[in-house]
Amino acid sequence: MSVRVRFAPSPTGYLHIGGARTALFNWLYARRTGGTFVLRVEDTDAARNSQAAVDVILDGLRWLGLDWDEGPLTAEASSPSKGNRGPYFQSQRKETYARRVEVLLSRGLAYEKDGAVRFKMTRDPVLIRDLVVGDVTRALTDREEVDPDFVIMRSDGSPVFHFVNVVDDLEMGITHVIRGEDHLSNTSKHVALFRAFGTEPPKYAHIPLILNADGSKMSKRDTGAALTYYMENGYAPEAVLNYLCLLGWSPKDGREVIPLKELIADFDLPQILRHNARFDHEKLKWMNGEYLRAMTPDRFYEMSTQTLARAGMDTNRFPAAYVKAALDTCMGKLRIFSELPGYGGFYFTERVELDAEAKTAVSGEAHARLAKLRSAFAELGDFTASGLESTLKDTAKAVGVKNGLMVHPARFACTGRGSGPSLYHLLEVLGRERVLARMDAALKA
């Protein structure tokens, strides 16, 4: 039997990080087994759904690289390739749901009441065989014993989540349902519906929830709850994907930074952990830094220029060689790309704004030292990192101070900050004209 899994988000505003991990686990399992990954948008609640929310989901999945294998051809499609397929939309499958409701009504397994259609829920305990949680027996609660039946189609003709979820899984031949543990309480209803249609349910794998670092439930108001947070704040998608995989799953050898090909090869449902996962933002930043350090220069340049553009810095105004040289001094120094404007943004501004700390750093005795260094740099023939370093050290020696007392005001004058890329290399990249102009501005501040 070929594996068929699905991700079925509801487009209600954003893609939760837990939903993204659910999509990832399904995608990994499909890729590992050579199966099919189906994307299905559960948009039957017209009042809450929007196209903008659908776009957020699709953009997030594409950003992570989670391509789906099956769906209707898009309007602009010229071939049935994966890239030309959209997701299934439940709002476009109403005839299928109406037909399935009629089947249950005709068999006496559902009935109409107050204009709605209700399913006759079994009164017997339901055994749920789960690949992660284990066997779970769900009996009726005291409240449910009074009336365990539930609505599958509202009086306005709109189908209910539990019903469409089961019908689509049945019609689409889903073999494994991998979803959050919060859905486990609904599963007895789903099992009963499958059996009412004369078929066994798919295999279930309810994965642990993602909690905040303090153990509280991650709500949409929490920082980092939405995938767009990572898309907009300088994270590499491959790092986020890697980290999400480790929230509730662990490889046998305990590694943490794992290339995608190896994630696919190693991922399996038995390794999914039983306990809830806690989201550690610092660990993700560390992992992202590891990916940034291993990133190819071309990809680093691409993501850097995109980040700078979002910060209002247009690198297109500068020669390509200058941009490349500037970004080279930043490689290996960042944990997330959103640190780049503060770390190396000085390369791409016409002038450096000196705050109170910077003005203090170039005042008093430092002012005189900076003036001496400015004069020495103006006479320097070899305006390279090695030449600049030798000149600074010679000037410090002539003045009778340690090198650091020259480095400190020079860095503040040219970058506006007390830390950043290697001073001598950044001075070489800035070039003589910019360096002297910035030193002059600092001396006048």
Side-chain angles (χ1 to χ4, degrees), residues 232-235 307 310 334 336-343:
E232 296 169 355
N233 282 276
Y235 287 83
T307 300
R310 284 195 294 269
L334 310 172
I336 54 177
F337 278 104
S338 57
E339 296 171 347
L340 179 59
Y343 186 82

Short mmCIF file of all heavy atoms in Angstrom, two decimals, residues 232-235 307 310 334 336-343:
data_model
loop_
_atom_site.label_atom_id
_atom_site.label_comp_id
_atom_site.label_asym_id
_atom_site.label_seq_id
_atom_site.Cartn_x
_atom_site.Cartn_y
_atom_site.Cartn_z
N GLU A 232 10.03 36.93 8.23
CA GLU A 232 10.27 38.37 8.22
C GLU A 232 11.43 38.81 9.10
O GLU A 232 11.81 39.98 9.06
CB GLU A 232 8.99 39.09 8.66
CG GLU A 232 7.81 38.89 7.71
CD GLU A 232 6.51 39.39 8.29
OE1 GLU A 232 6.51 39.80 9.48
OE2 GLU A 232 5.48 39.35 7.57
N ASN A 233 11.96 37.90 9.90
CA ASN A 233 13.00 38.30 10.85
C ASN A 233 14.34 37.62 10.61
O ASN A 233 15.12 37.42 11.55
CB ASN A 233 12.53 38.03 12.28
CG ASN A 233 11.56 39.09 12.77
OD1 ASN A 233 11.96 40.14 13.24
ND2 ASN A 233 10.27 38.82 12.61
N GLY A 234 14.61 37.29 9.37
CA GLY A 234 15.96 36.90 9.01
C GLY A 234 16.38 35.49 9.33
O GLY A 234 17.57 35.23 9.54
N TYR A 235 15.44 34.56 9.37
CA TYR A 235 15.79 33.16 9.59
C TYR A 235 15.92 32.46 8.24
O TYR A 235 15.18 32.75 7.30
CB TYR A 235 14.74 32.46 10.44
CG TYR A 235 14.76 32.87 11.89
CD1 TYR A 235 14.12 34.03 12.31
CD2 TYR A 235 15.44 32.11 12.84
CE1 TYR A 235 14.14 34.42 13.65
CE2 TYR A 235 15.46 32.49 14.17
CZ TYR A 235 14.81 33.64 14.57
OH TYR A 235 14.86 34.03 15.88
N THR A 307 17.25 41.26 3.20
CA THR A 307 17.10 41.77 4.56
C THR A 307 17.38 43.27 4.61
O THR A 307 16.64 44.03 5.25
CB THR A 307 18.06 41.03 5.51
OG1 THR A 307 17.77 39.64 5.50
CG2 THR A 307 17.95 41.57 6.93
N ARG A 310 14.51 45.26 3.22
CA ARG A 310 13.39 45.40 4.15
C ARG A 310 13.68 46.47 5.20
O ARG A 310 12.77 47.09 5.74
CB ARG A 310 13.09 44.07 4.84
CG ARG A 310 12.36 43.07 3.95
CD ARG A 310 11.76 41.94 4.76
NE ARG A 310 12.78 41.12 5.39
CZ ARG A 310 13.32 40.04 4.83
NH1 ARG A 310 12.93 39.67 3.63
NH2 ARG A 310 14.24 39.34 5.47
N LEU A 334 26.81 36.38 12.01
CA LEU A 334 25.41 36.60 12.36
C LEU A 334 24.74 35.31 12.80
O LEU A 334 25.09 34.22 12.34
CB LEU A 334 24.65 37.14 11.15
CG LEU A 334 25.25 38.35 10.41
CD1 LEU A 334 24.45 38.61 9.14
CD2 LEU A 334 25.26 39.57 11.31
N ILE A 336 21.08 35.52 12.98
CA ILE A 336 19.92 35.69 12.12
C ILE A 336 20.15 36.91 11.24
O ILE A 336 20.87 37.84 11.62
CB ILE A 336 18.61 35.85 12.92
CG1 ILE A 336 18.72 36.97 13.95
CG2 ILE A 336 18.21 34.56 13.60
CD1 ILE A 336 17.45 37.23 14.72
N PHE A 337 19.55 36.92 10.07
CA PHE A 337 19.81 37.99 9.12
C PHE A 337 19.31 39.34 9.61
O PHE A 337 19.82 40.38 9.19
CB PHE A 337 19.19 37.66 7.77
CG PHE A 337 20.03 36.75 6.92
CD1 PHE A 337 19.70 35.41 6.79
CD2 PHE A 337 21.18 37.22 6.30
CE1 PHE A 337 20.49 34.56 6.02
CE2 PHE A 337 21.97 36.37 5.53
CZ PHE A 337 21.63 35.04 5.40
N SER A 338 18.32 39.36 10.50
CA SER A 338 17.81 40.63 10.99
C SER A 338 18.86 41.38 11.81
O SER A 338 18.70 42.57 12.08
CB SER A 338 16.54 40.43 11.82
OG SER A 338 16.78 39.54 12.89
N GLU A 339 19.95 40.70 12.19
CA GLU A 339 21.05 41.39 12.88
C GLU A 339 21.92 42.18 11.90
O GLU A 339 22.70 43.04 12.32
CB GLU A 339 21.93 40.36 13.61
CG GLU A 339 21.23 39.62 14.73
CD GLU A 339 22.06 38.47 15.28
OE1 GLU A 339 23.07 38.09 14.64
OE2 GLU A 339 21.70 37.93 16.34
N LEU A 340 21.79 41.90 10.61
CA LEU A 340 22.68 42.49 9.61
C LEU A 340 22.59 44.01 9.51
O LEU A 340 23.64 44.67 9.46
CB LEU A 340 22.43 41.85 8.25
CG LEU A 340 23.28 42.38 7.08
CD1 LEU A 340 24.76 42.21 7.37
CD2 LEU A 340 22.89 41.68 5.78
N PRO A 341 21.41 44.62 9.47
CA PRO A 341 21.37 46.09 9.37
C PRO A 341 22.12 46.78 10.51
O PRO A 341 22.79 47.79 10.29
CB PRO A 341 19.87 46.40 9.40
CG PRO A 341 19.24 45.19 8.81
CD PRO A 341 20.05 44.04 9.34
N GLY A 342 22.02 46.23 11.71
CA GLY A 342 22.75 46.82 12.84
C GLY A 342 24.23 46.49 12.81
O GLY A 342 25.05 47.29 13.28
N TYR A 343 24.57 45.34 12.26
CA TYR A 343 25.97 44.90 12.25
C TYR A 343 26.75 45.52 11.11
O TYR A 343 27.89 45.99 11.29
CB TYR A 343 26.01 43.38 12.15
CG TYR A 343 27.40 42.79 12.27
CD1 TYR A 343 27.97 42.58 13.51
CD2 TYR A 343 28.12 42.42 11.13
CE1 TYR A 343 29.25 42.03 13.64
CE2 TYR A 343 29.39 41.87 11.24
CZ TYR A 343 29.95 41.68 12.49
OH TYR A 343 31.21 41.14 12.60
#
